[in-house]
């Protein structure tokens, strides 16, 4: 059964345990242009329509009770419905000389990259602004590369992550942030300052 199809059709049901809308999240400051991840390049080669150059207008996603419920529901549904599996076990990528495989989880299985792509796709289909949905590369608690989705909202930058159920502000993940998609052009990636430096900048601007 193609479990991704069931994900796309799932209604956005309210969560049993309601989490309040974040009130004190900050915004992740970005810096210089960085190299494009291999996985995004490979994804664009396989799905060129998804990566057509488009000049984006940076936008905030406005958080209201309904939109917050929808965001949590999509995050929870994708985390629940996709079966985790590594790229090598799933696609035997090294036998194909592929370093990293980013794709939609059409068979209901995938790793962090596939979770992020599906969440982004469902949010765009639900009307969320594309320029507010930014794929982000981090180093996780084990020192491994990891992909998460940063949602640029009017309450700050929030993180959707397949490693946790709750949505948290970007500077409370404990990850080391490397780079994210540019809000102006999703084919460009920009550096992100560490949370401690971001807080220092914000304090100096008060």
């Amino acid at each position: 059964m193609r479990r991704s199809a069931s994900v796309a059709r799932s209604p956005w049901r309210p969560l049993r345990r309601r989490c309040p809308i974040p009130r004190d999240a900050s915004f992740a400051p970005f810096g210089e242009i960085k190299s494009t991840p291999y996985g995004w390049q490979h994804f664009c080669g396989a799905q060129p329509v998804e990566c057509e150059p488009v000049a984006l207008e940076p936008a905030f996603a406005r958080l209201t009770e309904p939109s917050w419920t929808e965001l949590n529901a999509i995050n929870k549904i994708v985390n629940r419905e996709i079966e985790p599996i590594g790229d090598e076990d799933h696609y035997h990528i090294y036998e194909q000389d592929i370093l990293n495989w980013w794709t939609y989880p059409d068979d209901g299985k995938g790793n962090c990259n596939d979770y992020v792509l599906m969440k982004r796709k469902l949010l765009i289909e639900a009307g969320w602004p594309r320029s507010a949905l930014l794929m982000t590369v981090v180093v996780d608690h084990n020192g491994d590369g990891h992909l998460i989705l940063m949602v640029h909202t009017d309450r700050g930058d929030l993180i959707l992550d397949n490693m946790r159920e709750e949505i948290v502000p970007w500077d409370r993940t404990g990850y080391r942030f490397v780079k994210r998609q540019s809000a102006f052009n999703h084919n460009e990636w920009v550096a992100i300052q560490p949370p401690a430096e971001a807080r220092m900048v914000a304090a100096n601007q008060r």
Side-chain angles (χ1 to χ4, degrees), residues 22 25 49 131 147 158 189:
V49 174
S131 62
L147 194 70
L158 305 178
W189 294 68

Side-chain angles (χ1 to χ4, degrees), residues 120-141:
R120 178 175 175 268
K121 181 178 187 293
L122 294 179
L123 287 166
I124 290 171
E125 290 177 352
W128 289 64
R130 184 182 297 266
S131 62
L133 306 172
L134 307 171
M135 291 187 285
T136 302
V137 177
V138 299
V139 176
D140 68 14
H141 304 129

Side-chain angles (χ1 to χ4, degrees), residues 70-203:
E70 182 176 69
L71 188 66
N72 276 275
I74 290 176
N75 185 57
K76 184 178 181 180
I77 287 168
V78 174
N79 283 354
R80 181 184 66 216
E81 294 295 329
I82 297 175
E83 178 184 340
I85 186 173
D87 280 342
E88 176 58 19
D89 292 333
H90 196 183
Y91 301 114
H92 305 291
I93 59 173
Y94 300 136
E95 297 175 13
Q96 305 177 60
D97 292 325
I98 298 173
L99 299 178
N100 199 353
W101 190 301
W102 294 15
T103 190
Y104 291 117
D106 290 335
D107 60 356
K109 301 178 183 180
N111 65 2
C112 59
N113 315 315
D114 310 310
Y115 285 84
V116 168
L117 285 166
M118 179 56 71
K119 291 175 187 180
R120 178 175 175 268
K121 181 178 187 293
L122 294 179
L123 287 166
I124 290 171
E125 290 177 352
W128 289 64
R130 184 182 297 266
S131 62
L133 306 172
L134 307 171
M135 291 187 285
T136 302
V137 177
V138 299
V139 176
D140 68 14
H141 304 129
N142 298 317
D144 297 323
H146 184 45
L147 194 70
I148 55 179
L149 185 64
M150 180 180 290
V151 181
H152 194 50
T153 81
D154 58 349
R155 304 295 183 90
D157 290 331
L158 305 178
I159 298 302
L160 278 61
D161 186 357
N162 67 297
M163 300 302 292
R164 67 173 79 214
E165 179 178 320
E166 70 276 15
I167 297 171
V168 298
W170 76 284
D171 56 359
R172 295 181 190 171
T173 61
Y175 294 150
R176 178 168 66 83
F177 283 73
V178 179
K179 55 190 171 185
R180 77 175 189 196
Q181 287 178 303
S182 167
F184 297 92
N185 178 354
H186 280 179
N187 292 318
E188 289 186 348
W189 294 68
V190 294
I192 303 175
Q193 291 181 10
E197 292 183 20
R199 287 192 291 270
M200 185 178 300
V201 170

Side-chain angles (χ1 to χ4, degrees), residues 40-71:
W40 179 249
Q41 296 179 45
H42 184 267
F43 175 77
C44 291
Q47 313 239 18
V49 174
E50 297 273 358
C51 306
E52 290 181 349
V54 176
L56 299 173
E57 187 68 30
F60 292 112
R62 185 167 177 267
L63 280 189
T64 61
E65 286 295 339
S67 66
W68 176 241
T69 297
E70 182 176 69
L71 188 66

Side-chain angles (χ1 to χ4, degrees), residues 11-39:
W12 310 140
R13 297 184 297 273
L15 299 178
R16 294 179 182 177
R17 178 172 59 86
R18 289 298 304 275
C19 300
I21 297 177
R23 305 290 180 184
D24 57 350
S26 64
F27 296 97
F30 60 90
E32 62 184 2
I33 299 293
K34 303 292 284 186
S35 61
T36 301
Y38 173 89

